[in-house]
Amino acid sequence: MKTIKRFFVLAFFFVSLQTSFANMVLENGRDALVGVFWYDGTLFFPQDRYLMSEGGYGTVSSEQFQAMNPKDKEMIEAAANLLEEARYVFSGVLYGWRFHYQPSDKLRNVKEVFRLEPIAQIPVGDPNLEPLSSDQKGISLLRLQVRYHLTSKDMNHLAFRSSPSLLFSTGMGSGSIQENFAGRKEAIEQSVKEAIRNHQRKRLHAKPQILSGVAYLEQPPRVFLKSGKFWADSRVLFQLKTVKQYFLP
């Protein structure tokens, strides 16, 4: 697919998409984050559409895009969405989220609530976020390596993550394969929740009513397929701001 080859600098390497994952590399004295993200078009239904970022299709004009055949369009859309996924993941590494977690409690008829609110995000279209290389196999498999150049402010954010006030935990979460990229995001968010839950259930004797604080990805999570779902395996740093217990009479 010549369009894809013009759009990205290609380096021909391929690994099984079942085990590929995003990985963080700090280059040249800790000045960049590098991650690998993947897409398999055979997993999704033909009517599935992709949420495009405001950055559009990179160097491909709308006229060029409309003139492409459907499979070329799919790969261009997939590549743009992989960049958007990289923006989301790297933002979670650098800036993190505020979280609100209300664990479920059957005895009290309380449903689980978990929310993540970005503290900050890499701006859409940020020139510091760029594709390094892509690898396409067949007509549906795409693997994209993405780099984000760190600013001095970003370096300060990374330095904060070494604070002793941050707790560490790991968690795995799942997301719907039918939701495509939204399902991968769901898997990552659920893995953050599970990491916080796994840490606290070992330390709190009674189930809390509310937990809130800030959470960061220590590094981009491993995202893979298992039992018809997306799964994310995450290493999480977090700080508790509020631990509210139920009132015991």
Side-chain angles (χ1 to χ4, degrees):
M1 296 192 174
K2 296 180 180 179
T3 303
I4 296 291
K5 292 181 181 179
R6 288 198 300 268
F7 186 40
F8 297 113
V9 177
L10 289 182
F12 290 96
F13 52 88
F14 182 76
V15 298
S16 168
L17 295 189
Q18 297 291 339
T19 58
S20 64
F21 58 94
N23 193 13
M24 181 171 69
V25 179
L26 296 172
E27 297 181 329
N28 302 330
R30 300 174 62 86
D31 68 347
L33 303 180
V34 177
V36 178
F37 302 85
W38 60 266
Y39 166 82
D40 184 347
T42 64
L43 299 174
F44 310 118
F45 298 103
Q47 70 270 21
D48 194 18
R49 302 304 297 163
Y50 315 116
L51 296 174
M52 296 300 301
S53 70
E54 295 175 7
Y57 301 98
T59 59
V60 178
S61 69
S62 58
E63 291 79 10
Q64 289 173 316
F65 180 77
Q66 294 304 323
M68 292 178 187
N69 65 57
K71 187 53 64 173
D72 281 344
K73 287 183 178 181
E74 178 186 1
M75 288 293 102
I76 288 293
E77 287 186 317
N81 278 280
L82 289 178
L83 280 175
E84 181 65 14
E85 184 177 340
R87 187 177 77 90
Y88 166 77
V89 169
F90 288 160
S91 293
V93 172
L94 288 171
Y95 310 120
W97 302 273
R98 298 178 184 90
F99 70 85
H100 173 93
Y101 180 31
Q102 174 183 282
S104 64
D105 192 317
K106 292 183 179 179
L107 294 178
R108 296 181 173 92
N109 196 29
V110 173
K111 294 183 179 181
E112 180 181 89
V113 175
F114 183 73
R115 295 193 299 270
L116 288 178
E117 176 190 348
I119 295 173
Q121 291 183 301
I122 296 170
V124 173
D126 189 331
N128 288 322
L129 184 70
E130 61 177 358
L132 285 180
S133 62
S134 67
D135 173 43
Q136 188 177 343
K137 188 179 179 72
I139 62 173
S140 298
L141 307 182
L142 179 66
R143 185 173 180 263
L144 184 67
Q145 187 179 41
V146 181
R147 176 171 62 194
Y148 180 68
H149 294 280
L150 298 172
T151 65
S152 57
K153 186 177 180 180
D154 294 331
M155 296 300 295
N156 291 334
H157 284 292
L158 281 180
F160 171 74
R161 299 176 351 137
S162 62
S163 168
S165 65
L166 293 180
L167 305 171
F168 169 77
S169 185
T170 60
M172 290 184 61
S174 65
S176 171
I177 197 172
Q178 297 184 23
E179 295 298 324
N180 199 352
F181 293 98
R184 293 145 78 108
K185 180 180 177 182
E186 177 189 6
I188 293 171
E189 293 182 350
Q190 289 298 309
S191 72
V192 173
K193 181 201 74 177
E194 288 301 315
I196 296 168
R197 179 176 180 268
N198 291 342
H199 187 279
Q200 291 302 294
R201 70 187 303 183
K202 298 175 183 178
R203 289 160 177 79
L204 297 178
H205 299 295
K207 182 179 292 187
Q209 182 179 5
I210 298 291
L211 295 174
S212 65
V214 294
Y216 307 85
L217 294 172
E218 185 186 56
Q219 62 186 36
R222 184 170 69 98
V223 178
F224 58 96
L225 295 170
K226 183 180 178 181
S227 303
K229 294 182 178 181
F230 286 124
W231 287 87
D233 185 1
S234 297
R235 298 169 60 87
V236 176
L237 300 169
F238 69 100
Q239 184 179 54
L240 288 172
K241 301 288 188 180
T242 302
V243 178
K244 183 178 180 181
Q245 300 284 4
Y246 285 101
F247 173 74
L248 298 178

